[in-house]
Amino acid sequence: MTSADSIQLRVSRYRPDTDAGPHWQEYEVPLRKEWTVLDGLNHVKNEVDTTLSFRWSCRMGICGSCGMNIEGEPKLTCATFLSDYAPGPVTIEPLANFPVIRDLVVDLSDFMAKLPRVKPWIIGAEDHSQVEPDVEFLQTPGQLDAYRQFSMCINCMLCYAACPVYGLDPEFIGPAAIALAERYDLDSRDHGTSQRLDVLGAHDGVWACTFVGECTKVCPKHVDPASAIQRYKLKTALHTVKAFLLPRGAR
């Protein structure tokens, strides 16, 4: 029985190698004002049931590893307070749209394979004029502000769990990868836009997005992947028009 001093966690349990499917298990944990959902899960792990599996690291909303579905919404468990769900229960599931490895741990291999395709790093000029070892690449505050928002992505995968397009079409490269591509496109030191356009203009790139916008709503760092996708759609469209109308040297 839940009391005013405790709250029930209703946790999805699943071991693919032995279980026929996911099932629920309930745990009572202390209801303290400062406790997050992650604190409740750690209480279960340390005091009640050591077999429960979940992923976490920094507890500060920085590493992005503790993302789970809380009451059906993708959230960072280290930034979600138990008291917001009193008197409970609090339903905790693994992030949607990813295969479950065990209990609340999901397989992120698909994202890790897709991310390098958008080349999320600074690509230098083709003439190598900016790779001299003694060159310092200064930026103005305005140039930094141009990409700062997109640089806040922590790869927590909440946007993929919220994206209905990714849920229906796993080939879609996804919101975080596109936001990171835009981050480097907007960097004054980067020269790799044309290389990323070739990837993001393909069938599994930005044109798969139907602009639902859930990716932006759930982002815990206030990144706007939906905006990045729309900006990329415009860039790919202009790139296509220029390639059709202009001679090679003028594109």
Side-chain angles (χ1 to χ4, degrees):
M1 180 70 70
T2 302
S3 70
D5 297 327
S6 67
I7 190 168
Q8 185 183 84
L9 304 185
R10 184 170 178 259
V11 181
S12 177
R13 303 294 307 269
Y14 182 42
R15 298 182 182 184
D17 53 341
T18 59
D19 297 343
H23 60 278
W24 299 106
Q25 190 160 354
E26 289 77 26
Y27 303 97
E28 291 291 327
V29 301
L31 178 57
R32 297 173 182 166
K33 183 179 180 181
E34 71 277 11
W35 271 28
T36 65
V37 172
L38 180 59
D39 290 323
L41 290 172
N42 275 326
H43 175 82
V44 172
K45 180 76 173 180
N46 296 332
E47 306 293 337
V48 182
D49 184 352
T50 59
T51 68
L52 180 62
S53 296
F54 52 97
R55 187 183 279 138
W56 67 282
S57 182
C58 75
R59 303 178 64 180
M60 300 173 65
I62 296 174
C63 71
S65 63
C66 69
M68 302 172 203
N69 270 24
I70 311 299
E71 290 295 319
E73 297 182 34
K75 293 178 178 290
L76 294 181
T77 55
C78 71
T80 305
F81 288 90
L82 287 171
S83 56
D84 290 340
Y85 298 93
V90 185
T91 300
I92 307 170
E93 301 171 271
L95 287 178
N97 300 334
F98 292 96
V100 175
I101 297 175
R102 179 166 169 166
D103 295 338
L104 301 170
V105 180
V106 296
D107 185 355
L108 304 179
S109 300
D110 182 61
F111 173 72
M112 299 306 293
K114 288 175 177 171
L115 185 59
R117 292 177 55 202
V118 303
K119 301 185 178 181
W121 54 80
I122 292 176
I123 298 174
E126 292 183 359
D127 63 1
H128 305 293
S129 61
Q130 296 188 21
V131 294
E132 296 296 331
D134 296 330
V135 173
E136 186 175 8
F137 302 111
L138 298 178
Q139 287 188 310
T140 66
Q143 289 172 325
L144 175 62
D145 286 342
Y147 66 82
R148 186 197 300 271
Q149 178 221 146
F150 298 110
S151 72
M152 301 302 289
C153 176
I154 57 175
N155 297 337
C156 64
M157 298 295 97
L158 302 195
C159 56
Y160 283 71
C163 178
V165 176
Y166 184 67
L168 294 170
D169 179 11
E171 295 298 315
F172 177 42
I173 200 163
I178 297 171
L180 286 168
E182 182 68 357
R183 174 254 179 269
Y184 286 95
D185 276 10
L186 293 172
D187 193 312
S188 59
R189 302 163 294 183
D190 182 79
H191 297 266
T193 298
S194 61
Q195 297 181 41
R196 299 186 189 100
L197 279 173
D198 290 340
V199 175
L200 295 176
H203 71 283
D204 56 351
V206 294
W207 296 106
C209 173
T210 56
F211 199 45
V212 177
E214 289 297 318
C215 53
T216 296
K217 292 180 183 176
V218 301
C219 180
K221 308 304 288 186
H222 307 294
V223 179
D224 188 358
S227 168
I229 293 170
Q230 297 311 302
R231 295 165 69 113
Y232 243 103
K233 284 182 176 178
L234 178 60
K235 275 191 285 189
T236 55
L238 290 174
H239 178 73
T240 301
V241 171
K242 288 181 179 178
F244 181 73
L245 296 176
L246 300 178
R248 183 180 298 274
R251 296 172 191 170

